[in-house]
Amino acid sequence: MKSDTTQSFSRPAKPWRIAVLYIAEPYHCYHLAPLASALAARADCTVTEFVNFDACLPHIQRIRAKLRQPELPRAPLRRPMAARLLEATRLLDKQREAILRANVSTLEPYDAIVTTEYPAALLRQAGLRHPKLIYLTHGSGERRVGDEHLLKHFDLALVSGPKTVNYFLREGICKAGQIKDIGLPKFDLAGPHLQNAQLKTPARARAPQNILYNPHYKKKLSAWPRALKALHSAFMATRRDGQELLIAPHVKMFDESWGLLKRRFQKLASDHVHVDTGSVAALDMTNAAQADIYVGDVSSQFYEFLHTPKPCVFLNLNRLPWRDNPYFRNWTLGDVVEDPDAIMDAINAAPARHHLYKAQQEEMLQETFGPWPLLGASERGASTICTFLKATRQG
């Protein structure tokens, strides 16, 4: 008599096929690559990277080396002639649109597409159907962005903290189940310098007072041409012993200037004035880590400086009506200067006045990046993505 030893086994689900889409300039890599590595480390994921700009490749390699993670499989994007011409003429926003529209069939077989750009929503309009579109924030500031309404076309949005979640829900851009806060994956690059939830300055010879000027590229908000001239002139005339000034604008400022604007900034360099127009230090938080005082306007890079509460000065030379405006909440965390002649006085007074803002900075840090340690956002993001995909598969 034959015995029945048949047993039933459930077949394991196939790993998720995830496309990581680097559609923007190199500074986005520092947000996206750590998350890509965390996804690739999971047994339930296979990751393929798609890179739009060749300039991103050395940055991705540098990030992998810093994380001590292997390189990931990479596949090419289709590049129609129109996209090549737009890139050659530095019309990068239009170039991205052309690349996205040309690669719907390339990306369609994947289960999910992870990217840092709102315009990736154009993939849906161009016919993308199967993959889930997942957005990863690449900034944590309050400035309103013109194309943020496109987020409603994404299936999942990963943002840095409760502040951004509440904003998108309040504005009706996302629904509650569509958005999760995970922290900032870029912080994972800080590695050994990030201890006790604080980013420590890399060991090197430091000036007693490093001043970082980090203007945004939007002239209407930053008035940087006036502010730059006023700050540089005042610093050169009244510099105190031990003070060093680093001028490091948002790198997007130089996208369409054909190098002319970079040369304009670089001419300001001298013994105690340093200019960074796009080095790795401007992208991987080194500049923020080494600064003692932040001077700026609306750049979200301010929050990378604020990992540890420190003195800040905000320049409002355009005299914008910022009080009680939710898009300028960062300006409540330091003195706001409207008179060009008062800039250096405010900078020199900032350390002594920091006690007036420290508690509020700590509160804003929690609101911006969540209650968890700054390290670990990449793993939280990878786990959130896979939990979301599992729920959609079961549903």
Side-chain angles (χ1 to χ4, degrees):
M1 180 178 177
K2 185 182 287 187
S3 62
D4 186 1
T5 58
T6 303
Q7 299 182 30
S8 60
F9 295 93
S10 60
R11 295 181 63 187
K14 292 181 179 179
W16 305 108
R17 296 187 65 201
I18 298 179
V20 175
L21 180 59
Y22 299 86
I23 195 68
E25 298 93 326
Y27 69 95
H28 285 243
C29 299
Y30 291 82
H31 298 273
L32 191 52
L35 176 60
S37 287
L39 284 166
R42 295 178 60 99
D44 53 355
C45 294
T46 62
V47 175
T48 303
E49 293 183 315
F50 293 85
V51 181
N52 183 18
F53 298 118
D54 289 343
C56 290
L57 296 176
H59 292 274
I60 295 172
Q61 292 169 356
R62 187 178 292 111
I63 291 165
R64 293 276 141 70
K66 195 165 188 178
L67 293 172
R68 298 182 179 179
Q69 294 293 326
E71 289 293 310
L72 301 183
R74 195 167 293 140
L77 290 165
R78 291 193 180 104
R79 296 181 175 278
M81 182 59 69
R84 297 178 197 174
L85 292 173
L86 289 166
E87 183 174 353
T89 54
R90 304 298 294 169
L91 297 174
L92 301 185
D93 290 343
K94 294 293 184 182
Q95 187 266 5
R96 279 190 283 268
E97 292 181 16
I99 290 289
L100 290 167
R101 295 186 188 281
N103 283 277
V104 172
S105 61
T106 303
L107 298 169
E108 181 66 26
Y110 289 86
D111 297 305
I113 299 168
V114 185
T115 189
T116 54
E117 280 282 90
Y118 296 126
L122 294 175
L123 289 166
R124 285 277 185 250
Q125 299 175 17
L128 188 81
R129 292 292 176 264
H130 173 66
K132 299 297 182 183
L133 269 182
I134 299 174
Y135 171 78
L136 173 68
T137 186
H138 62 275
S140 305
E142 293 84 25
R143 182 179 67 90
R144 189 165 200 161
V145 180
D147 52 4
E148 63 189 19
H149 66 280
L150 294 172
L151 197 60
K152 64 185 178 183
H153 298 293
F154 285 77
D155 299 286
L156 177 66
L158 303 179
V159 298
S160 58
K163 177 183 72 177
T164 309
V165 171
N166 294 336
Y167 168 73
F168 283 135
L169 293 177
R170 185 175 66 248
E171 296 294 315
I173 295 172
C174 282
K175 297 178 181 178
Q178 191 184 359
I179 186 168
K180 301 291 183 182
D181 54 326
I182 62 167
L184 195 70
K186 187 176 182 179
F187 280 137
D188 290 334
L189 290 172
H193 302 305
L194 200 57
Q195 299 173 8
N196 302 321
Q198 292 185 344
L199 186 62
K200 292 191 173 183
T201 302
R204 72 175 184 88
R206 296 181 68 251
Q209 191 178 80
N210 289 328
I211 303 164
L212 171 63
Y213 176 48
N214 175 229
H216 199 263
Y217 59 92
K218 294 285 187 181
K219 292 182 183 179
K220 290 183 179 179
L221 297 176
S222 74
W224 67 259
R226 291 176 59 212
L228 176 66
K229 182 178 179 180
L231 171 58
H232 181 261
S233 298
F235 181 83
M236 294 299 292
T238 65
R239 173 187 171 270
R240 293 179 176 178
D241 186 44
Q243 285 184 326
E244 301 286 322
L245 174 63
L246 172 60
I247 301 170
H250 191 294
V251 293
K252 200 170 176 65
M253 185 178 289
F254 307 108
D255 273 358
E256 299 176 7
S257 69
W258 299 95
L260 297 177
L261 195 54
K262 280 189 177 184
R263 288 192 284 275
R264 175 178 170 183
F265 273 82
Q266 289 163 352
K267 287 179 180 179
L268 300 176
S270 61
D271 288 345
H272 302 289
V273 177
H274 315 277
V275 177
D276 189 336
T277 57
S279 76
V280 172
L283 305 180
D284 70 357
M285 298 184 299
T286 297
N287 289 342
Q290 294 177 349
D292 300 299
I293 298 175
Y294 181 93
V295 182
D297 35 68
V298 298
S299 174
S300 64
Q301 290 176 319
F302 162 70
Y303 286 102
E304 297 172 10
F305 166 85
L306 199 65
H307 49 66
T308 304
K310 288 184 282 188
C312 309
V313 175
F314 301 100
L315 306 185
N316 183 24
L317 303 194
N318 284 344
R319 297 180 181 268
L320 300 171
W322 65 274
R323 296 185 186 279
D324 301 318
N325 185 329
Y327 301 117
F328 291 90
R329 286 186 65 196
N330 62 315
W331 287 11
T332 65
L333 305 180
D335 288 344
V336 178
V337 178
E338 297 185 347
D339 180 358
D341 294 333
I343 292 176
M344 279 308 298
D345 287 341
I347 290 172
N348 290 330
R353 291 177 55 78
H354 183 230
H355 70 280
L356 301 173
Y357 301 104
K358 184 177 180 181
Q360 194 170 349
Q361 288 181 350
E362 291 171 342
E363 181 180 340
M364 184 67 89
L365 188 66
Q366 294 287 310
E367 198 175 334
T368 301
F369 298 120
W372 35 69
L374 295 183
L375 277 177
S378 301
E379 286 73 19
R380 287 190 293 271
S383 177
T384 299
I385 289 172
C386 292
T387 299
F388 171 78
L389 292 175
K390 183 178 179 181
T392 60
R393 176 180 280 173
Q394 292 174 342

